[in-house]
Amino acid sequence: MNAVKIIFTSISMSLYSTLLLKVYLDIFLVKKSRYVGLVGWALFFLWQFCINTEVMYFHPVINLILTLMTILSVGVTSYEGILWKRFTFPITFVMMWMLLEGIGDAGYVYLNNGQNPSFMINSIFAKFLLFLIVMGIRWFVNRHGGGRIPYGGGAYLTIFLLSGLILYPVFYMLVETSDRKGTDSFGWLLMAALILTFMNLSMYPIYLRFVETIQVKRNAHMYVKQLEYYGRQHDLEEAASAEIQEMKHDMKQRLIYLQELVKSDQKDKLLTTLENLIGQSANIGRLESKTGNLIIDAMVNHVWEKTCKKEILLHTKLEIPGVMKIKDEDLGILLGNAFDNAVEASEYVEKGKREIWIEITHEKGYLYIFVRNRYQGKIEHNKGHRLVSRKEEAFHGWGIYSMKKIAERYHGQVELNWEGDIFSLETILYDDI
């Protein structure tokens, strides 16, 4: 009967530890799709079960290493994003957990004249405090925002964390190997544990400040680019307007001249003059897009300028309203990445065969974006699951990654396909949310 109680208690505590770890990591990390990360969670749960039942118990150093290995397997296999975050936050969880056990152990010995607490009492005490701290961290991050960023900066924070990672194992070993007959030493160890706990908790406000700084810089850079696009759009509109005014002014004289050429049956001169008149409409003042939606007009006209310079034939089909619920910054990042990838890939195609097709339509509450381009070379996924080409990485995996994250915000998706010499990118964003 005692064995059944031990197993039941161990399973309950192992599940509790696993769920608490999940709550903590979900604050800062982005989960992978379902079933992908079950291996990491299974390893962590089994190791916790072994510790709680004391079926396997090694030297404290070995136990700490195995705990770190199993918890890191969760971060690596169950979450996505930059690697340093998937390593750092699981380790900070272990640091906090072990520090709380150290506080419980040292405090109990200090207050009870050298008597040692049982493993179960100390474990329950530490897990209860850990629950309160994790809930407090979750509340703090949700209140201030910015916990989860799937990619980008913040790596400087690891320098601060490394100091704690170095200090903690030293403290842990001191607790485990110290003379348990003297309560004074445990008083000092209790104080050291409390100081290190404060250091650990101070990491979270610093982290959020880093995240806030990074986001502000990104937004500033994004808005600067948007202003550049809008400026080019304005210049194009002014040039087109000036061209129309000039053509209107000269139209009467040109029509009179064409009439004379027809009357005198000078067919060659007539054709040459007509070709010159038609060709003038393809100068810098021409607008490829004028839908009334400023961000899409700016982005399409910007890519049109680039394709003209690089001798790429551009085909467009645009049927969109002037105003949508989709944020301009999200649309600008998505279209900018899609267009840049298409132009860069087209540069490696033989001149005369370079083509890009852009279709953007809006109906029944969703925005449909379809971009196709010719490409040359072999496309494959590298070890980081980034889409790359043999030709100088013309297809940028990180750009596509950011596009997918934006699509998820609008419950949409990004689909990639390549067949023959045509690469296509198909995106759906729901505009009625």
Side-chain angles (χ1 to χ4, degrees):
M1 192 68 180
N2 288 333
V4 174
K5 288 182 179 179
I6 291 172
I7 292 173
F8 176 78
T9 303
S10 298
I11 291 175
S12 300
M13 292 186 68
S14 300
L15 281 173
Y16 174 86
S17 301
T18 305
L19 291 172
L20 194 58
L21 174 62
K22 185 178 185 305
V23 170
Y24 175 81
L25 294 181
D26 285 353
I27 300 171
F28 303 100
L29 304 178
V30 179
K31 291 181 289 187
K32 286 185 178 178
S33 58
R34 198 178 179 184
Y35 305 124
V36 173
L38 289 181
V39 174
W41 288 113
L43 288 173
F44 177 75
F45 173 82
L46 289 174
W47 172 239
Q48 289 305 303
F49 179 77
C50 291
I51 291 178
N52 291 324
T53 56
E54 297 189 32
V55 172
M56 297 173 63
Y57 192 84
F58 305 104
H59 188 275
V61 175
I62 297 175
N63 284 341
L64 180 60
I65 291 173
L66 289 172
T67 300
L68 284 171
M69 289 176 63
T70 54
I71 207 167
L72 284 175
S73 70
V74 173
V76 172
T77 63
S78 303
Y79 294 88
E80 61 184 21
I82 51 179
L83 196 59
W84 75 263
K85 285 186 66 178
R86 290 152 62 194
F87 272 86
T88 300
F89 284 101
I91 291 175
T92 59
F93 184 84
V94 174
M95 287 168 55
M96 182 60 63
W97 186 355
M98 296 299 116
L99 275 170
L100 293 175
E101 287 191 352
I103 289 172
D105 190 38
Y108 190 93
V109 173
Y110 180 73
L111 296 173
N112 289 276
N113 298 319
Q115 291 185 358
N116 298 323
S118 67
F119 169 78
M120 192 60 68
I121 289 176
N122 195 33
S123 180
I124 292 173
F125 171 79
K127 286 181 173 64
F128 175 72
L129 287 184
L130 188 61
F131 170 78
L132 296 179
I133 287 175
V134 168
M135 292 299 105
I137 292 171
R138 185 183 182 187
W139 171 83
F140 180 80
V141 172
N142 288 338
R143 182 179 180 183
H144 292 82
R148 284 184 290 179
I149 49 172
Y151 53 89
Y156 294 112
L157 184 62
T158 55
I159 298 172
F160 176 80
L161 292 173
L162 283 175
S163 61
L165 296 177
I166 294 169
L167 285 171
Y168 174 69
V170 174
F171 167 77
Y172 186 83
M173 293 303 104
L174 283 173
V175 172
E176 292 296 329
T177 59
S178 61
D179 181 9
R180 293 182 176 268
K181 293 181 180 179
T183 57
D184 290 341
S185 62
F186 277 91
W188 286 106
L189 287 171
L190 176 61
M191 186 178 297
L194 290 171
I195 292 171
L196 286 172
T197 301
F198 176 78
M199 287 179 60
N200 188 298
L201 290 175
S202 66
M203 180 270 291
Y204 299 101
I206 295 173
Y207 168 75
L208 291 181
R209 181 58 61 88
F210 269 108
V211 171
E212 182 182 357
T213 303
I214 292 164
Q215 290 176 334
V216 167
K217 287 182 178 179
R218 280 183 183 163
N219 287 336
H221 177 71
M222 176 187 63
Y223 284 123
V224 167
K225 290 207 72 168
Q226 278 194 0
L227 287 173
E228 290 177 358
Y229 290 148
Y230 292 158
R232 290 174 186 170
Q233 172 74 6
H234 181 262
D235 291 342
L236 282 172
E237 289 180 351
E238 283 195 341
S241 178
E243 179 189 2
I244 291 170
Q245 293 298 324
E246 182 183 352
M247 290 181 68
K248 282 182 178 179
H249 182 268
D250 297 338
M251 187 61 68
K252 183 176 180 180
Q253 287 74 18
R254 289 175 179 175
L255 288 174
I256 292 171
Y257 179 62
L258 290 173
Q259 185 182 43
E260 291 299 321
L261 292 176
V262 172
K263 288 180 179 179
S264 59
D265 198 23
Q266 298 184 46
K267 186 176 180 180
D268 292 338
K269 282 189 177 183
L270 177 62
L271 290 174
T272 302
T273 305
L274 286 172
E275 287 173 0
N276 290 334
L277 287 173
I278 293 170
Q280 288 179 11
S281 64
N283 64 17
I284 194 63
R286 185 173 73 86
L287 291 174
E288 179 67 23
S289 174
K290 191 168 175 59
T291 64
N293 187 294
L294 187 57
I295 184 63
I296 292 180
D297 285 343
M299 298 301 297
V300 173
N301 285 324
H302 174 67
V303 77
W304 170 76
E305 286 187 275
K306 294 174 72 172
T307 55
C308 287
K309 293 175 182 178
K310 299 178 185 295
E311 300 182 38
I312 302 170
L313 186 60
L314 179 65
H315 310 273
T316 60
K317 178 184 177 183
L318 308 171
E319 298 174 0
I320 50 177
V323 179
M324 293 184 292
K325 294 180 181 178
I326 300 170
K327 293 181 179 180
D328 283 355
E329 53 266 32
D330 290 337
L331 203 52
I333 292 171
L334 196 149
L335 293 177
N337 279 303
F339 294 168
D340 285 347
N341 285 349
V343 170
E344 290 177 25
S346 298
E347 290 184 70
Y348 298 104
V349 178
E350 180 184 348
K351 287 185 178 180
K353 296 183 179 179
R354 299 175 179 178
E355 285 186 274
I356 296 176
W357 296 263
I358 296 174
E359 180 181 347
I360 307 176
T361 58
H362 185 281
E363 61 177 326
K364 296 182 180 179
Y366 68 88
L367 182 68
Y368 176 73
I369 302 169
F370 189 40
V371 180
R372 292 183 297 153
N373 60 272
R374 296 193 188 277
Y375 75 94
Q376 185 177 344
K378 181 181 179 182
I379 299 175
E380 57 187 14
H381 289 85
N382 67 5
K383 292 181 180 179
H385 300 290
R386 291 180 59 198
L387 194 65
V388 297
S389 167
R390 289 187 304 178
K391 300 287 187 177
E392 304 294 334
E393 294 198 14
F395 298 91
H396 297 302
W398 294 123
I400 292 172
Y401 177 83
S402 65
M403 292 171 65
K404 288 183 176 180
K405 301 311 294 184
I406 289 172
E408 287 177 6
R409 295 176 198 167
Y410 298 93
H411 304 292
Q413 58 186 1
V414 176
E415 296 291 339
L416 308 174
N417 188 35
W418 52 95
E419 185 175 354
D421 65 341
I422 300 294
F423 180 89
S424 62
L425 185 148
E426 192 172 15
T427 305
I428 293 177
L429 305 179
Y430 288 91
D431 187 38
D432 57 353
I433 57 174

